[in-house]
Amino acid sequence: MNARRIASVLAWLLLGVIAYSTLSPLDLRPHMGSSVQIERFGAFGLTGLMFAIAYPRHVLAVLAAMLAAAIGLELTQMLAADRHARLIDLAVKMAGAGCGVGAGWLLVSLLPGSSRKSRA
């Protein structure tokens, strides 16, 4: 299995974990032990990184999808009685997604033999 395929599988798994964590009741949400904002930024950053590595020719679509996922998941929290949507949470998620996608694009662009695989 090549690196792009592994990144693709990881990206989709991470997105599933994010969706579960975002929409599940608070007592079922996994905790890493650090600041919740750091967890949000890291989760969206790592997921964006994996998607950018998996789909280097579609980096703008990946960025748009990650931002849409952050918005959609944050808004869906309004449907749960014990969850709440907050603008600061959305901003942190979007910042993490943008940094992750940007880092993935940069990584793929700088790899030897990449020949600009990641047309933006």
Side-chain angles (χ1 to χ4, degrees):
M1 206 187 274
N2 66 17
R4 284 181 37 192
R5 184 64 147 160
I6 293 169
S8 175
V9 170
L10 285 174
W12 287 106
L13 286 172
L14 286 166
L15 189 59
V17 169
I18 287 173
Y20 171 79
S21 299
T22 302
L23 303 175
S24 66
L26 281 176
D27 57 334
L28 296 178
R29 187 177 82 79
H31 297 278
M32 303 297 284
S34 62
S35 161
V36 178
Q37 297 297 22
I38 292 172
E39 290 178 10
R40 289 179 179 122
F41 184 91
F44 274 85
L46 184 58
T47 305
L49 174 73
M50 290 297 111
F51 271 117
I53 292 170
Y55 306 103
R57 294 184 181 162
H58 306 284
V59 84
L60 289 179
V62 165
L63 179 60
M66 286 300 301
L67 296 177
I71 293 167
L73 288 170
E74 196 65 28
L75 289 177
T76 339
Q77 286 186 357
M78 293 171 37
L79 301 175
D82 66 336
R83 301 306 293 262
H84 55 278
R86 293 185 351 186
L87 194 55
I88 186 66
D89 297 345
L90 176 61
V92 168
K93 292 173 182 179
M94 292 175 80
C99 288
V101 171
W105 173 80
L106 187 61
L107 180 65
V108 170
S109 296
L110 296 177
L111 285 177
S114 102
S115 69
R116 298 298 291 175
K117 285 185 237 178
S118 59
R119 282 183 284 179

